[in-house]
Amino acid sequence: EILRCLVGSEMCIRDSVYSAKAARELAEKYEVSMPIVEKVNQVLFEGKPAKDAVSELMMRDGRSEYSNLPWD
């Protein structure tokens, strides 16, 4: 339902929906963890309530996303 509404509306929103799917595919292909992209796809394509997705993201354990940065 939400996806049908978004795709039928403005072009920039429609393009973002398809970009979310492409980003997930690339993350899987290159084995890169992208939790925000994963949650966006769950909301758009799997029916996960947005409130639950945000809550799950906020409750994640903190960790360094990239350990080779000079200031880490």
Side-chain angles (χ1 to χ4, degrees):
E1 176 87 21
I2 188 173
L3 184 59
R4 197 173 325 124
C5 176
L6 290 173
V7 171
S9 64
E10 297 203 27
M11 187 174 194
C12 63
I13 295 172
R14 183 175 59 240
D15 290 346
S16 297
V17 168
Y18 297 121
S19 295
K21 189 177 257 189
R24 179 192 235 178
E25 291 170 1
L26 285 170
E28 290 171 358
K29 177 179 179 179
Y30 292 104
E31 299 177 4
V32 174
S33 174
M34 295 185 72
I36 296 172
V37 169
E38 184 63 32
K39 295 300 179 192
V40 167
N41 275 275
Q42 289 174 358
V43 170
L44 291 174
F45 304 111
E46 299 170 18
K48 178 181 275 295
K51 182 179 179 180
D52 293 348
V54 170
S55 179
E56 291 170 12
L57 286 169
M58 298 303 289
M59 298 304 292
R60 289 179 62 227
D61 289 335
R63 65 181 183 88
S64 177
E65 296 292 328
Y66 186 70
S67 60
N68 292 334
L69 296 174
W71 54 85
D72 255 353

